[in-house]
Each structure stands twice: as structure tokens, then as C-alpha cells.
Amino acid sequence: MSHIHIELNNVSFGYEPDKPVIKNVSLRAGEEESIGIIGANGAGKSTLLKLLVGLCPGFSGSIRVEEIPVERNTLPKIRERCGYVFQDSDSQLFMPSVYEDVAFAPRNYGLPEEEVERRTIAALERVNILHLKDKPVYRLSGGEKKLVSIATILSMTPDIILMDEPSTALDLKNRRNLINILNSFDHLKIIASHDLDMILETCKRTILLSDGRVVADGNTREILGNERLMAENDLELPLSMQSKGVI
């Protein structure tokens, strides 16, 4: 068994007592898997990702990342292994410049400054935004902020990447750039998104959530192409499948 994996057993969580958002979810994700998390608004997609990096304490059941239980005292180890991109880039970026934001995590983990610089430059190059290195964050467009957010996790060379609506605010060119970045990542990636065409291009496996429960888990093309299943869960076929008449 590879050490790069995530396992959830009977996980439930609610932001308010007696109002669960995630309900008895059990699943396993292994190395080199590419997994899309889909579902209508309020299905629990974002909450599920936040649970994996300890942003939603107080859940029941168990979550393990690379055999490390998700607990308060293990969060630094968990977050060193998992890179998490927030849906709202402004929740992730807080330093004055792009370089400082991307350098923050490796510097915070005590890496030598030479290694911090190497990782920062490599991450910026990987998402094709090295030209933004010295730009103030407040002057970035929404799409630029999203790419910088992705670079901030790549600078830690994580084993696992978790992304919440990563294509939001991206124009067509940068959306394609993102798809290429995701497809070049060698390890485990889990992506929650309403952009079903992007999920189709980047994820071999898809998990469909509805009302906090897993209602389907399997091959992406089979799930996204099941018109009845999608309609029953308030979703439509991806546009690329609609245009080709795939059902």
C-alpha cells in the first residue's frame, strides 16, 4: 500500500448541532488517483475538502491522511503533505507581494532561504506567472489571484493537492493552463467543482455528493454521462457531452 492516501470512515459533520452537512461518508483515495467531487450547491463538497485538512473540527468518525489521524496536534504534518486551495483566493493570500505569499509556507516550515527561493521560483514557473513575482497582491485580477493561490501550495511540493472550485475567475487561456497543471501532477489530487467539463478532463474518478452523502462513486465519464443520475441530483451533463449527444 502506498503511503500517499486518504481514508474516511463513517465521517459526519455539521456546523450547527443536529444539522449535519456531511453524513456517514466513507471512502478511500490512493496515490496517483485523480478524483472529482461534484454535487449541487449545498451538497457538502467544500466541507468535505476542509475536513481533510482539519478546518472543520468536531467531526465524528475517522479521517487519516497517509496513516496520520486528522487531529488538532497532527495538523502541521497533515498540511505539510496536503496542499489546499481555497475557493476564495482572498482567504489564502495575505502577504504584500506574490513572491512573499508563495514563499511563506516553505519559509514558515524553517527551510533555508536558498531552498525557499528555489521552491518559490519553481512554483511560479509551473503555473506560468513568474512575471507576477514582484506584483502587489492587491493589484492582481481574480484569475491571477487563483493562480498565485495554486503556486502557494506547489511551493511545498505536497503529496496531495485539494482544490475547491479552482477554475473560478479564470479566463479560457488560464483555465487551460490550470488543466495542464492538474494533469501534470503525479500524485493524488481531489478537485471539488461545478466545472464539470474540467472534471471530465482532469479526473478519472468522480464522487457525486447529495445532501452530504455519497450517491455515486466511479468512472468519471460514466457518472457525468448518466443523464438520469445527474438530473436526479440537480445537475446537467457537461457541455462537451451535451454537444456530442452523449447520454
Side-chain angles (χ1 to χ4, degrees):
M1 180 187 293
S2 167
H3 76 284
I4 300 175
H5 63 274
I6 290 173
E7 189 166 1
L8 291 81
N9 286 305
N10 298 317
V11 173
S12 296
F13 171 79
Y15 296 100
E16 301 177 42
D18 303 320
K19 291 184 179 180
V21 177
I22 297 296
K23 304 172 183 176
N24 299 314
V25 168
S26 295
L27 60 89
R28 189 180 188 283
E31 183 174 10
E32 297 184 5
E33 280 203 277
S34 50
I35 302 172
I37 306 292
I38 67 170
N41 287 336
K45 302 184 300 297
S46 297
T47 299
L48 184 61
L49 290 188
K50 290 177 181 178
L51 283 165
L52 300 180
V53 288
L55 293 176
C56 293
F59 61 87
S60 63
S62 68
I63 305 174
R64 300 181 74 86
V65 175
E66 299 187 358
E67 293 304 321
I68 303 170
V70 175
E71 300 170 349
R72 184 175 180 178
N73 63 325
T74 63
L75 294 186
K77 291 182 179 179
I78 298 290
R79 293 169 184 172
E80 188 175 3
R81 291 159 173 78
C82 289
Y84 174 64
V85 177
F86 287 78
Q87 182 173 345
D88 178 10
S89 298
D90 288 328
S91 298
Q92 192 147 2
L93 305 176
F94 51 87
M95 299 295 284
S97 73
V98 168
Y99 182 93
E100 291 301 314
D101 250 318
V102 179
F104 178 83
R107 188 175 283 152
N108 191 52
Y109 274 86
L111 296 178
E113 194 58 31
E114 182 177 327
E115 177 65 10
V116 170
E117 181 178 7
R118 185 192 70 78
R119 289 188 180 211
T120 301
I121 297 300
L124 292 169
E125 288 178 336
R126 189 164 181 184
V127 296
N128 299 314
I129 55 168
L130 184 59
H131 61 286
L132 298 178
K133 177 171 68 76
D134 299 316
K135 192 168 182 177
V137 170
Y138 75 88
R139 293 183 59 189
L140 299 176
S141 68
E144 288 171 339
K145 286 181 180 180
K146 182 65 69 173
L147 293 174
V148 174
S149 296
I150 294 169
T152 65
I153 69 164
L154 295 180
S155 67
M156 285 300 294
T157 61
D159 291 336
I160 300 164
I161 57 174
L162 310 171
M163 294 190 175
D164 191 359
E165 299 291 354
S167 63
T168 300
L170 296 183
D171 58 24
L172 290 177
K173 179 181 178 181
N174 280 320
R175 179 179 175 277
R176 177 53 52 188
N177 180 30
L178 169 66
I179 289 171
N180 292 336
I181 293 165
L182 292 173
N183 286 336
S184 71
F185 187 73
D186 294 329
H187 298 309
L188 172 60
K189 58 179 176 282
I190 304 177
I191 305 160
S193 183
H194 288 290
D195 185 346
L196 300 184
D197 286 279
M198 184 196 69
I199 294 293
L200 193 61
E201 287 198 60
T202 59
C203 299
K204 293 182 180 180
R205 173 184 170 192
T206 288
I207 296 170
L208 170 58
L209 292 180
S210 180
D211 193 29
R213 301 181 188 276
V214 175
V215 295
D217 181 352
N219 178 273
T220 291
R221 185 162 290 274
E222 291 178 3
I223 290 176
L224 296 188
N226 187 329
E227 188 170 19
R228 180 176 178 179
L229 175 67
M230 298 290 278
E232 287 174 348
N233 292 280
D234 299 318
L235 297 172
E236 295 184 343
L237 297 179
L239 290 175
S240 60
M241 285 186 160
Q242 293 179 29
S243 64
K244 294 178 182 178
V246 178
I247 297 177

